[in-house]
Amino acid sequence: QVLLVESGGGLVEPGGSLRLSCQASGSIFSIYRMGWYRQAPGKERELVASISSGGDTTYADSVKSRFTISRDDVKNLFLQMDSLKPEDTAVYYCRALISGSDYWGQGTQVTVSA
């Protein structure tokens, strides 16, 4: 009954920026924690950034000075990505912890290349 939909991915040159969005829909009263994960070909899925209901944030060391995670209400999640590098190329997934259960979006492709 819960659906997460990501948008905002695409092709960008090194040094460019993208803003990812994730909207949650369904019978949702509150979301304890939301986050962004990514998976590149041949690699395991990894945490990029997460944010709690209280606004506390966590970032991977590789992105913490360049990416910013935010929420504007209980159902909308964003990831502002600046100074993008080729190694940021991956499928990015939205994840939400709702009433103790995990939910995942379908993923959006981010490609950083000249």
Side-chain angles (χ1 to χ4, degrees):
Q1 192 169 350
V2 175
L3 178 65
L4 304 179
V5 179
E6 301 114 323
S7 62
L11 174 65
V12 64
E13 294 186 351
S17 298
L18 286 173
R19 181 174 172 85
L20 305 184
S21 299
C22 174
Q23 184 176 44
S25 61
S27 299
I28 304 170
F29 296 100
S30 65
I31 303 176
Y32 178 71
R33 177 171 288 275
M34 299 186 75
W36 291 98
Y37 291 72
R38 68 186 182 187
Q39 186 168 21
K43 295 185 177 181
E44 296 183 349
R45 187 173 299 185
E46 64 177 350
L47 173 69
V48 177
S50 66
I51 185 168
S52 72
S53 59
D56 296 321
T57 58
T58 300
Y59 295 93
D61 288 342
S62 60
V63 309
K64 61 184 178 182
S65 64
R66 301 181 293 118
F67 293 7
T68 303
I69 189 171
S70 63
R71 299 171 69 175
D72 62 7
D73 60 31
V74 298
K75 296 183 178 181
N76 295 286
L77 178 71
F78 306 93
L79 184 68
Q80 178 66 43
M81 304 186 294
D82 298 320
S83 301
L84 284 162
K85 304 175 180 179
E87 50 263 45
D88 295 318
T89 296
V91 177
Y92 284 70
Y93 298 90
C94 175
R95 180 252 188 181
L97 179 61
I98 305 172
S99 298
S101 298
D102 281 313
Y103 297 90
W104 295 85
Q106 82 289 346
T108 184
Q109 177 71 48
V110 172
T111 302
V112 185
S113 176

